[in-house]
Amino acid sequence: MTTTQRTSGPSDASDAAASSAASAAGSPAAASAAASPGAAGLSSTAVPSGESIRLAGRSLLRIGPVSLLIRRRAVLVAAVLTVLLLLAVVLSLSLGTPYVAPADVLRALSGAGTPYDLVVFDLRLPRVVLAAVAGAAFGVAGTLIQSVARNPLASPDVIGITQGAGLAATVALTSGMAAVLVAPTALVGGLLAAALLFALGARHGLAAQRFVLAGVAVAFGFRALTEVVMLTADPIDGLRAQIWLIGTLAGKGWSEAAWIAGTLLVLLPVLAWAGWALNSTALDDDTARGVGLRPVARRIGLAGTGVLVAAMVTAQVGAVDFVALVAPQVARRLVRAERPPLVCAALLGALLLVLADLAGRRLFAPTQLPAGVLTAAIGGPYLIFLLLRGRRRSS
């Protein structure tokens, strides 16, 4: 198989169009090569199976009939984020009462046996694993939704998914429903909010602006209904609902982490497709159709996957805001990519939530702050940064 390289233009849409056109022509390697900027000066080059060629900032790897374009900076950023996440996990397992030295934490995790096994495995590890898995899920959901909306401010807590789950959970918590039914009820509420969002935003091919505006309207509506339910509820039940709405990992662990991880595992083939399909989200509908793509079906698939992941993770850990908003855009800036990278956003979301939960446990010990309070403290300044950045660009 041969690949023909071209000079890359500055437009993100033109890169995606070239990649999609090559893909429609039936050559995966050509599709990957066409999408790579800075490939000028390379002539037609045969790429043997299992080998790679190096492009400007990227590598084209061919494995049998499949060719993958790998951004080397994204691999480096993912590796650094993985190391930082592992360090944050060890730190979170170490800090607390009692304090466990990092060396003892590592020995306990290796199965060597220490006096702190009970503290590490039973008291701290379930919550830390839940924080990492939930943060990764928020990062994935935010990446998919922001890419479809083509808006850095679009996230599950902006377009109404979180608010739908919150309303359902509030009704469950204030009506005397069994605690075990709160998470399934919240999941149903999040999915109903998603269905309403698609019903309102699906006209005109799920256009980005209409999708976001419909989501904001859904969010405000569900938030208002939640306030009505809380005002009419028993004060104790209302306080329980308020804690859930803030988002906390306290008292949760393996069960919630298993549900979130299971959802991501089941959706893994879809997420693998999504990582490839995100390359075409910058195309307008006419260009996408011109290269043989179905933009509406693709956007619905990406957005549907995003809201399903968001609804599941929100149902398990509550309305932890801003992780899905911040992680994709920070990851995009670290990688210097045209769109949020899926894997790096997941790793960054996991890192943010692990650190937020650790700060919530230790900053005001023995009082514990819900993780959602700390993520909101991060998200507020980030929103101000985005607004100021947008203002500077427009001036």
Side-chain angles (χ1 to χ4, degrees), residues 227-262:
E227 294 293 337
V228 171
V229 173
M230 291 185 64
L231 288 173
T232 57
D234 180 85
I236 300 299
D237 292 335
L239 181 59
R240 293 170 57 210
Q242 184 63 42
I243 294 174
W244 191 97
L245 291 172
I246 294 173
T248 181
L249 306 182
K252 301 174 181 178
W254 293 123
S255 176
E256 292 79 8
W259 277 104
I260 299 171

Side-chain angles (χ1 to χ4, degrees), residues 324-336:
L325 176 71
V326 173
Q329 292 304 312
V330 173
R332 183 181 70 83
R333 285 170 170 79
L334 291 175
V335 176
R336 298 176 186 172

